[in-house]
């Protein structure tokens, strides 16, 4: 079997079109313009690319967008004061502080400080808890994007054996939680593998749907999967530079090997990445609607 390529780029485009229409309608009918602020502390090159994409896409869709770049040496109290001001700004419905933060800053304190109603990342403990009990206001962007990729590609999730590799708070834990909820587009049997797992292959070979967020290239190879598996590759690893200085990216999965056995697979780039950006737009629209009593 050679796999169908699940294009995150195309599915993201489809959702963006739906959002563009909804945003135009909110403007016309309710004079409501969703507002998003992205905050980047320091100048990490990958973070700059991602935040740049977020700002560009939000503007394209008709979202009011502000980008705040702070110097690497920003003090904790300065960042907290900024968040406090943004929490109170009625134009701003969504606040995103790009991670990772420079090491001297307390990430947890920052995530706690964002008003949960404006937490379009879904990282505040209130939103994490709401997701866990099946009452989410916001689904975190990357996991929500993964679920949309599966649903919109017609992959049967209900009853499937889903195996997640990686247990981060931003991908592994929330995607496991989303897919085990008793709802359409979920209701799967979910296994989570991590660095403490004794035999990862034992689990990955059983997967109908394999979601890999391990954070290193070739974490999953062809010998680790069964024929017909659907593979979602969340990794974005810089594995080199082109002669003209462009980043060369690879996922966490040995794409060339695994695509010969899988029934469907996401590429890197052009898979999960564009979906992360798009679901942030979705959450920003949702935040505006919630604030206006329209959701
Ligand atoms: N607060 N921090 C916060 N929220 C997030 O949702 C993120 N994440 C992760 C890192 N830190 C965060 C992102 O935005 C990862 N991430 C992200 C977003 C977009 C892309 C990758 C990761 C993306 O667009 N990837 C492109 C390639 C872009 C490139 O050239 O590097 C792709 O096609 O995969």
């Amino acid at each position: 079997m050679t796999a169908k390529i699940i294009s995150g780029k195309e599915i993201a485009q489809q959702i963006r079109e739906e959002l563009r229409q909804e945003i135009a309608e909110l403007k016309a009918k309710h004079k409501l313009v969703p507002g998003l602020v992205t905050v980047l502390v320091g100048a990490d090159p990958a973070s700059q690319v991602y935040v740049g994409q977020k700002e560009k896409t939000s503007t394209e869709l008709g979202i009011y967008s502000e980008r705040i770049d702070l110097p690497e040496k920003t003090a904790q109290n300065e960042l907290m004061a900024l968040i406090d001001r943004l929490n109170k700004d009625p134009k701003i419905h969504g606040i995103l502080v790009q991670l990772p933060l420079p090491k001297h800053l307390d990430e947890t304190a920052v995530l706690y400080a964002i008003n949960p109603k404006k937490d379009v990342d879904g990282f505040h403990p209130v939103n994490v808890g709401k997701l866990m009990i099946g009452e989410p206001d916001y689904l975190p962007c990357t996991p929500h994007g993964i679920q949309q990729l599966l649903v919109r590609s017609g992959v049967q999730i209900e009853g499937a054996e889903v195996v997640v590799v990686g247990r981060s708070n931003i991908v592994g834990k929330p995607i496991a939680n989303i897919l085990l909820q008793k709802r359409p587009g979920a209701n799967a049997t979910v296994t989570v593998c991590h660095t403490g797992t004794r035999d990862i292959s034992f689990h990955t070979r059983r997967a109908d749907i394999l979601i890999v967020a391990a954070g290193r290239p070739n974490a999953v190879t062809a010998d680790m999967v069964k024929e017909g598996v659907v593979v979602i590759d969340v990794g974005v690893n810089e594995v080199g530079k082109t002669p003209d200085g462009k980043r060369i990216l690879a996922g966490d999965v040995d794409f060339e090997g695994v695509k010969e056995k899988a029934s469907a697979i996401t590429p890197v780039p052009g898979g999960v990445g564009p979906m992360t950006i798009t679901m942030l737009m979705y959450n920003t629209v949702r935040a505006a609607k919630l604030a206006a009593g329209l959701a």
Side-chain angles (χ1 to χ4, degrees):
M1 187 180 298
T2 203
K4 173 185 124 177
I5 308 298
I6 299 176
S7 170
K9 226 171 138 175
E10 275 171 29
I11 294 173
Q13 207 46 54
Q14 192 184 320
I15 298 173
R16 287 176 197 188
E17 209 38 65
E18 295 165 15
L19 288 171
R20 199 194 313 277
Q21 282 176 29
E22 190 175 3
I23 291 163
E25 226 173 272
L26 288 173
K27 240 176 248 184
K29 287 198 189 144
H30 304 281
K31 295 198 184 332
L32 178 62
V33 179
L36 172 68
V37 62
T38 52
V39 179
L40 175 58
V41 185
D44 176 75
S47 295
Q48 282 183 325
V49 173
Y50 306 153
V51 171
Q53 285 293 328
K54 291 173 186 186
E55 195 198 13
K56 176 167 164 268
T57 308
S58 53
T59 306
E60 277 170 9
L61 296 187
I63 291 171
Y64 169 75
S65 149
E66 275 180 37
R67 170 171 171 171
I68 301 179
D69 282 277
L70 297 176
E72 173 84 24
K73 55 166 196 0
T74 300
Q76 183 78 25
N77 64 333
E78 294 176 88
L79 185 53
M80 298 300 262
L82 171 65
I83 291 169
D84 189 47
R85 170 169 82 67
L86 297 169
N87 279 340
K88 291 173 181 151
D89 184 341
K91 293 192 302 301
I92 300 301
H93 303 101
I95 302 171
L96 180 138
V97 179
Q98 188 70 17
L99 302 179
L101 288 169
K103 278 200 246 344
H104 68 279
L105 292 172
D106 179 349
E107 203 163 279
T108 307
V110 169
L111 298 181
Y112 272 67
I114 295 170
N115 180 345
K117 294 190 164 74
K118 298 192 176 190
D119 171 35
V120 284
D121 263 327
F123 292 167
H124 190 285
V126 164
N127 288 319
V128 175
K130 284 185 154 188
L131 167 58
M132 187 123 177
I133 63 171
E135 301 283 336
D137 285 329
Y138 303 109
L139 296 178
C141 304
T142 301
H144 194 194
I146 293 169
Q147 186 191 35
Q148 285 297 309
L149 281 176
L150 293 168
V151 169
R152 290 179 186 244
S153 314
V155 175
Q156 168 80 25
I157 303 174
E158 274 129 278
E161 294 288 336
V162 172
V163 176
V164 178
V165 181
R167 60 172 151 194
S168 68
N169 289 333
I170 146 165
V171 184
K173 283 180 200 160
I175 191 61
N177 243 295
I178 289 169
L179 295 181
L180 65 76
Q181 300 293 333
K182 190 167 185 173
R183 317 174 154 240
N187 213 18
T189 303
V190 182
T191 303
V192 182
C193 299
H194 45 74
T195 50
T197 300
R198 224 179 303 149
D199 182 354
I200 296 221
S201 291
F202 169 81
H203 298 284
T204 56
R205 281 193 200 111
R206 292 177 35 255
D208 301 316
I209 300 172
L210 181 59
I211 299 170
V212 188
R216 65 183 171 86
N218 297 315
V220 168
T221 47
D223 57 301
M224 295 169 68
V225 304
K226 78 173 176 195
E227 201 68 42
V229 64
V230 173
V231 179
I232 304 290
D233 188 349
V234 190
V236 187
N237 304 293
E238 188 180 318
V239 292
K241 295 253 198 218
T242 62
D244 52 333
K246 287 210 190 99
R247 292 147 41 79
I248 300 173
L249 300 179
D252 291 349
V253 173
D254 169 24
F255 182 86
E256 291 307 321
V258 171
K259 83 175 197 309
E260 300 304 323
K261 278 174 100 177
S263 61
I265 187 168
T266 60
V268 178
V272 174
M275 294 299 291
T276 296
I277 309 286
T278 301
M279 301 329 285
L280 174 65
M281 306 301 126
Y282 176 92
N283 279 350
T284 303
V285 172
R286 182 161 168 79
K289 289 195 292 185
L290 286 169
L294 294 169

